[in-house]
Amino acid sequence: MTDHPSRTLAAFAATLDYRAIPAHVVERTVNLYVDWLGSALGGKGARPVETIARFARTARGAQSASDACDVVIDRTRTTPYFAAMINGAASHFVEQDDVHNGSVLHPATVVFPVTLALAQSLGASGAEFIAASVAGYEVGIRVGEFMGRSHYKIFHTTGTVGTIAAAAAAGRLLKLTPGQMLDAFGSAGTQASGLWEFLRDAADSKQLHTAMAAANGLMAAQLAADGFRGAQRILEGAQGMAAGMSSDADPAKLVDRLGERWATVETSFKYHAACRHTHPAADALLAVMAEHRLTPADIAAVTAHVHQGAIDVLGNVVVPSTVHQAKFNMGTVLGLCAYRGYAGVNEFEHGYAEADIAAFRERVTMALDEEVDRAYPARWIGKVTVTTHDGRTLHGRVDEPKGDPGNTLSRDEIASKFVRLAAFSHAASEAQARALLDDAWAIAECARVGALFEHGETKAAA
Amino acid sequence: MTDHPSRTLAAFAATLDYRAIPAHVVERTVNLYVDWLGSALGGKGARPVETIARFARTARGAQSASDACDVVIDRTRTTPYFAAMINGAASHFVEQDDVHNGSVLHPATVVFPVTLALAQSLGASGAEFIAASVAGYEVGIRVGEFMGRSHYKIFHTTGTVGTIAAAAAAGRLLKLTPGQMLDAFGSAGTQASGLWEFLRDAADSKQLHTAMAAANGLMAAQLAADGFRGAQRILEGAQGMAAGMSSDADPAKLVDRLGERWATVETSFKYHAACRHTHPAADALLAVMAEHRLTPADIAAVTAHVHQGAIDVLGNVVVPSTVHQAKFNMGTVLGLCAYRGYAGVNEFEHGYAEADIAAFRERVTMALDEEVDRAYPARWIGKVTVTTHDGRTLHGRVDEPKGDPGNTLSRDEIASKFVRLAAFSHAASEAQARALLDDAWAIAECARVGALFEHGETKAAA
């Protein structure tokens, strides 16, 4: 291992060439981008998101005709800094954005707000956009792994480490030299912040964390491009991030198989809009229903075979009285899957308390399963046993929940999720969403990343 | 002690009434403001400061005719957010801004950028400006004391805690309710950042820390005014600032004699522009020279009787080759005091290597002094022994260095420092500086805090 791993990592990010990125990584990055854009649309109208957007307008105080960067939730345009801030706030709200299990980082919500805004501002190519986004993912995931589990106990890694990911992504689009990229890491890392304390009060800080990780990371890269110097070992130094905010940091993880291991494709999509502990059973139920062509009316009872963590987290809510509680109730999630085929934001918002779902909920129980529990958390196995009204006992199983790297979403599934999120928040009609999708799927090939909303349905439709 | 000290502190800040602040505290706060304004002017032209100013202009992308907030270094106007950011960067650069010894916080550079900008934007009265500034000082100093010595080892307290001080000051001007003020603390504290790692590389992060502490604190208060919720125990909670960034935090310090102890007046002014370890001896030399009407030519040798820390920090530089090194050289500092009467930024910039100063430097030695060492760090006693060419041995002594609370600067001394700093950075002519001073001394009485630069010498003079 190098004796200056943050320099090695910075050099990797600064020099990452689009042509060196394998085709399957590029393709997955496009998928992650489309998935992110859906999440950003889904944040429209959410109080904390709109509050940050109002702040950004106040802080700016004026618009300019040269503004090039789309604010996804309202189709206005602004500068890269404020676009990163608002889109960063928007894309984490519905909790449908991607996650990397090992680093506990949500990369999309801090990387794409930056790469989209800067690419629009610079007129960068799709290839540059992809290379910068991959740089952000590869750096952010490794820094998250480096900071370790002790960090995540107190700090919201997507806020802290996300700042470095955003700086790497921005720095790559700004064509920083390796030395400047290290400066950008320094200015980003010394701004790294985000505490879990807000969870206790259900406060709004999560949106602030992603907004400012994106904005501060962008700022750090822009400052570095203008000669502003940062600490050279902000990650591993004696008074750096790990020294101040981790007790189990491992510098070797910063440079783990750079250019060989593509951590980007290890990222999981979130399929259902429910607590992640429900996903394996939900997918197992959908599998057994498909295999045996069951309708919900055929089902007399379901046992979800789960790990202990699922019982700990999900066991408390018996009859959910809010959307949020419903997302943590196994019976509701399985009911939505059985009746609606999917437990998405719309299904929860409009259906969690309906009679068929509530009745199905009563037919669901959880049971600790030794195999599932042993495999967790490395693997999230889904197992259900279904008893039918006609007396059959049927078993459903998935070895990885839908969206995990080994069971990733198809482009059709990503598109469906996208359209649903846009409809949920009233950010776009289905036709508008389809038009956005057409462009988004083609982003890697475009000569110049342009405006999102140019389909004759721009601001007036918002 | 309350079981929710951060709520008590927030309520104090939100409800602090100008009429409840003793007259001597108001007077000292005006002095601290004037001292701050001089430091902000002194930052003009410094590369890291100007880089942050360029970033702010890029991030904003447009000006507006309704901009009300002065950027001190270039007399442009902008929004409160960017004025706080740029003036926060500017006012810490020359290292002449104030410091509170017990909390190791530099309050002025994070409080006044916010209160000046917001007061200008809101058209607030001078009384409101003073009350908000005192709220920022009282809160920031107590939070700094709360976070303890362990925090300061890794984190730059003026960056981290400064965010809370800025939020308190902004929140008071925005007339937040106590509940909203607690929300503002939450959003500020979850953004608290600033690592000492940059010192190792002499990187530019110090300006970034003060810029963003001011801007993020302002943001937190503006968000709270708009209903954005923050963690209710961001300071003392199980996943809050102290949990993540301190091992010796003491919550009792958060509410130490609120409304009785005025921590604001415990703040020290920096008089000489040198390393603080030189100040006691410098003042003792000036005292003995004044008492015996000595000229520099009378002096054959000086022994500075110092604490061990001074020897540790100052002992390495024998012949300084840069301005920065000169500020850490006892002989140079005493030479500047002897010949120029003051060791300020101009004296260092233009005189540290001149023949008379260099010759005087050779006549200075340091010696460990038991009394001085025992009193440190609670008291910084200054003692020198001077031998004259005509054979006398004379002793000089000060019990507190100039600028400390027991030996605070007079308004004339603050004004002189102000004019010198403005001249040093070419931010204002002496006449312009005097006009700025006239307004600044009267700020507590003004009905409405207006523009700084309205003396027929505004932007064209910049």
Side-chain angles (χ1 to χ4, degrees):
Chain A
M1 195 184 94
T2 163
D3 72 339
H4 194 162
S6 56
R7 181 182 291 280
T8 305
L9 186 62
F12 170 79
T15 59
L16 179 61
D17 188 333
Y18 177 74
R19 294 162 297 185
I21 305 171
H24 77 281
V25 178
V26 172
E27 184 185 332
R28 184 67 64 80
T29 305
V30 173
N31 293 3
L32 293 165
Y33 165 64
V34 174
D35 188 69
W36 168 79
L37 187 57
S39 280
L41 289 164
K44 179 181 171 71
R47 183 184 51 75
V49 175
E50 298 290 347
T51 308
I52 288 172
R54 278 195 299 278
F55 164 77
R57 282 192 286 272
T58 301
R60 203 181 166 206
Q63 271 82 53
S64 164
S66 62
D67 290 342
C69 309
D70 286 307
V71 177
V72 172
I73 54 171
D74 62 13
R75 307 187 190 189
T76 58
R77 290 188 188 153
T78 185
T79 60
Y81 182 67
F82 288 111
M85 188 185 293
I86 302 170
N87 293 336
S91 51
H92 202 44
F93 183 78
V94 290
E95 306 258 356
Q96 284 277 272
D97 54 310
D98 63 24
V99 60
H100 183 271
N101 288 338
S103 58
V104 213
L105 177 76
H106 297 278
T109 192
V110 291
V111 168
F112 289 120
V114 166
T115 51
L116 178 63
L118 261 188
Q120 289 182 325
S121 162
L122 299 167
S125 70
E128 288 289 292
F129 169 85
I130 294 292
S133 301
V134 172
Y137 271 71
E138 297 295 321
V139 166
I141 289 167
R142 283 177 177 81
V143 176
E145 291 174 337
F146 156 73
M147 292 295 285
R149 294 193 158 262
S150 65
H151 180 66
Y152 187 74
K153 282 184 187 166
I154 307 278
F155 293 92
H156 181 200
T157 301
T158 302
T160 53
V161 171
T163 312
I164 308 278
R172 176 61 186 78
L173 266 173
L174 290 168
K175 301 187 195 299
L176 297 188
T177 65
Q180 290 172 325
M181 185 67 89
L182 193 59
D183 283 328
F185 282 17
S187 291
T190 206
Q191 293 190 77
S193 63
L195 293 158
W196 280 125
E197 181 65 24
F198 76 93
L199 280 182
R200 230 164 285 273
D201 312 301
D204 299 325
S205 312
K206 206 179 228 190
Q207 277 63 62
L208 185 59
H209 295 172
T210 55
M212 295 312 288
N216 289 336
L218 174 76
M219 178 192 198
Q222 289 184 325
L223 285 173
D226 196 22
F228 198 86
R229 296 194 299 252
Q232 303 295 289
R233 294 175 186 264
I234 199 65
L235 303 172
E236 71 277 40
Q239 291 172 303
M241 277 178 70
M245 301 187 273
S246 172
S247 57
D248 64 341
D250 178 359
K253 296 196 170 162
L254 290 172
V255 292
D256 179 37
R257 291 166 287 156
L258 285 170
E260 295 164 28
R261 167 199 173 201
W262 295 95
T264 303
V265 300
E266 299 164 2
T267 307
S268 300
F269 296 92
K270 265 186 116 176
Y271 186 61
H272 303 291
C275 170
R276 198 167 158 72
H277 290 295
T278 67
H279 291 212
D283 291 341
L285 177 65
L286 288 168
V288 74
M289 288 179 70
E291 183 185 351
H292 297 281
R293 304 191 180 188
L294 301 178
T295 69
D298 296 331
I299 297 175
V302 182
T303 301
H305 306 282
V306 298
H307 52 270
Q308 183 61 46
I311 295 172
D312 294 342
V313 173
L314 305 172
N316 297 320
V317 175
V318 180
V319 179
S321 60
T322 65
V323 167
H324 188 76
Q325 284 188 323
K327 291 179 175 178
F328 286 77
N329 179 265
M330 181 67 88
T332 304
V333 174
L334 297 193
L336 290 173
C337 287
Y339 277 95
R340 315 278 187 262
Y342 180 58
V345 285
N346 277 300
E347 288 70 20
F348 278 106
E349 192 77 13
H350 306 300
Y352 83 89
E354 289 190 8
D356 53 355
I357 304 302
F360 195 95
R361 185 185 70 221
E362 302 299 323
R363 287 179 255 152
V364 174
T365 51
M366 285 189 289
L368 180 64
D369 185 271
E370 197 193 337
E371 181 202 8
V372 173
D373 196 55
R374 209 169 41 234
Y376 175 86
R379 292 186 302 131
W380 293 52
I381 300 170
K383 282 166 72 172
V384 295
T385 300
V386 172
T387 315
T388 62
H389 287 298
D390 60 10
R392 288 175 288 167
T393 297
L394 305 170
H395 300 285
R397 179 187 180 102
V398 293
D399 282 305
E400 282 192 81
K402 202 172 188 67
D404 265 17
N407 187 16
T408 192
L409 299 194
S410 71
R411 289 202 160 181
D412 280 352
E413 288 165 334
I414 293 169
S416 295
K417 179 182 164 188
F418 183 104
V419 173
R420 283 165 192 250
L421 285 173
F424 167 72
S425 69
H426 308 291
S429 68
E430 178 159 354
Q432 291 169 338
R434 295 285 171 197
L436 284 168
L437 275 169
D438 286 346
D439 284 355
W441 290 127
I443 195 161
E445 291 83 42
C446 73
R448 190 182 164 96
V449 174
L452 294 175
F453 304 109
E454 287 189 335
H455 307 280
E457 35 110 330
T458 51
K459 293 186 186 176
Chain B
M1 197 184 92
T2 164
D3 73 338
H4 194 162
S6 57
R7 180 182 292 281
T8 305
L9 185 62
F12 169 78
T15 60
L16 179 61
D17 188 332
Y18 178 74
R19 292 162 299 185
I21 305 171
H24 78 281
V25 179
V26 172
E27 183 186 333
R28 183 68 63 82
T29 305
V30 173
N31 293 4
L32 292 164
Y33 165 64
V34 174
D35 187 68
W36 168 79
L37 187 56
S39 280
L41 289 165
K44 179 181 172 71
R47 184 184 51 75
V49 176
E50 298 290 346
T51 309
I52 288 173
R54 279 195 298 277
F55 165 78
R57 283 193 286 272
T58 301
R60 201 182 169 205
Q63 270 82 52
S64 164
S66 63
D67 290 342
C69 309
D70 286 307
V71 177
V72 173
I73 53 171
D74 61 12
R75 308 187 190 189
T76 59
R77 291 189 187 152
T78 185
T79 60
Y81 182 66
F82 288 111
M85 187 185 292
I86 301 170
N87 292 336
S91 50
H92 202 43
F93 183 79
V94 290
E95 306 259 355
Q96 285 277 273
D97 55 309
D98 64 22
V99 59
H100 183 272
N101 288 338
S103 59
V104 212
L105 177 76
H106 296 278
T109 191
V110 292
V111 168
F112 289 120
V114 166
T115 51
L116 178 63
L118 261 187
Q120 290 181 325
S121 162
L122 299 167
S125 69
E128 288 289 292
F129 168 84
I130 293 292
S133 300
V134 171
Y137 271 71
E138 297 294 321
V139 166
I141 288 167
R142 283 177 178 80
V143 175
E145 291 174 338
F146 156 73
M147 292 295 284
R149 295 196 158 261
S150 66
H151 180 66
Y152 188 74
K153 283 184 188 166
I154 307 277
F155 294 92
H156 181 198
T157 301
T158 302
T160 54
V161 171
T163 312
I164 309 277
R172 176 61 187 78
L173 266 173
L174 290 168
K175 300 186 195 300
L176 297 187
T177 66
Q180 289 172 326
M181 184 67 88
L182 193 58
D183 283 328
F185 282 16
S187 291
T190 206
Q191 294 189 78
S193 63
L195 294 158
W196 281 125
E197 182 64 25
F198 76 92
L199 280 183
R200 231 164 284 273
D201 311 302
D204 299 326
S205 311
K206 206 179 228 189
Q207 277 63 63
L208 185 59
H209 294 171
T210 55
M212 296 311 288
N216 290 335
L218 175 76
M219 178 192 198
Q222 289 184 324
L223 286 172
D226 196 23
F228 198 87
R229 295 193 299 252
Q232 303 295 289
R233 294 175 188 264
I234 199 66
L235 302 172
E236 71 277 43
Q239 291 172 301
M241 276 179 72
M245 301 187 272
S246 172
S247 58
D248 62 342
D250 178 0
K253 296 196 169 161
L254 290 172
V255 293
D256 178 37
R257 290 166 288 156
L258 285 171
E260 296 164 29
R261 167 199 173 201
W262 295 95
T264 303
V265 300
E266 300 165 2
T267 307
S268 301
F269 296 92
K270 264 186 117 177
Y271 185 61
H272 302 291
C275 170
R276 199 167 160 71
H277 289 295
T278 66
H279 292 212
D283 291 341
L285 177 65
L286 288 168
V288 73
M289 288 179 70
E291 184 185 351
H292 298 281
R293 301 190 182 189
L294 301 179
T295 67
D298 296 332
I299 297 175
V302 181
T303 301
H305 305 282
V306 298
H307 53 270
Q308 183 63 46
I311 294 172
D312 293 344
V313 172
L314 305 172
N316 297 320
V317 176
V318 179
V319 179
S321 60
T322 66
V323 167
H324 188 75
Q325 285 188 322
K327 291 179 175 177
F328 286 76
N329 179 266
M330 181 67 89
T332 304
V333 173
L334 297 193
L336 290 173
C337 286
Y339 276 95
R340 314 279 187 262
Y342 180 58
V345 285
N346 277 301
E347 287 69 22
F348 278 107
E349 192 79 12
H350 306 299
Y352 83 89
E354 289 190 9
D356 54 353
I357 305 302
F360 195 95
R361 186 184 71 220
E362 302 299 322
R363 287 178 255 152
V364 173
T365 52
M366 285 190 289
L368 181 65
D369 184 272
E370 198 194 337
E371 181 201 10
V372 173
D373 196 55
R374 207 168 45 234
Y376 175 88
R379 293 187 301 131
W380 293 51
I381 301 170
K383 282 166 73 173
V384 295
T385 301
V386 172
T387 314
T388 60
H389 287 298
D390 60 10
R392 288 175 288 166
T393 298
L394 305 170
H395 300 285
R397 179 187 179 101
V398 294
D399 282 307
E400 281 192 80
K402 201 171 188 68
D404 265 18
N407 186 16
T408 192
L409 299 194
S410 71
R411 288 201 162 183
D412 279 351
E413 287 165 334
I414 293 170
S416 295
K417 179 180 165 188
F418 184 103
V419 172
R420 285 165 192 249
L421 285 172
F424 167 72
S425 70
H426 308 292
S429 67
E430 177 159 353
Q432 291 168 338
R434 295 285 171 196
L436 284 168
L437 275 170
D438 287 345
D439 283 356
W441 290 126
I443 195 162
E445 291 84 41
C446 72
R448 189 183 165 94
V449 174
L452 295 175
F453 304 107
E454 287 189 334
H455 307 281
E457 34 109 332
T458 52
K459 292 185 187 176

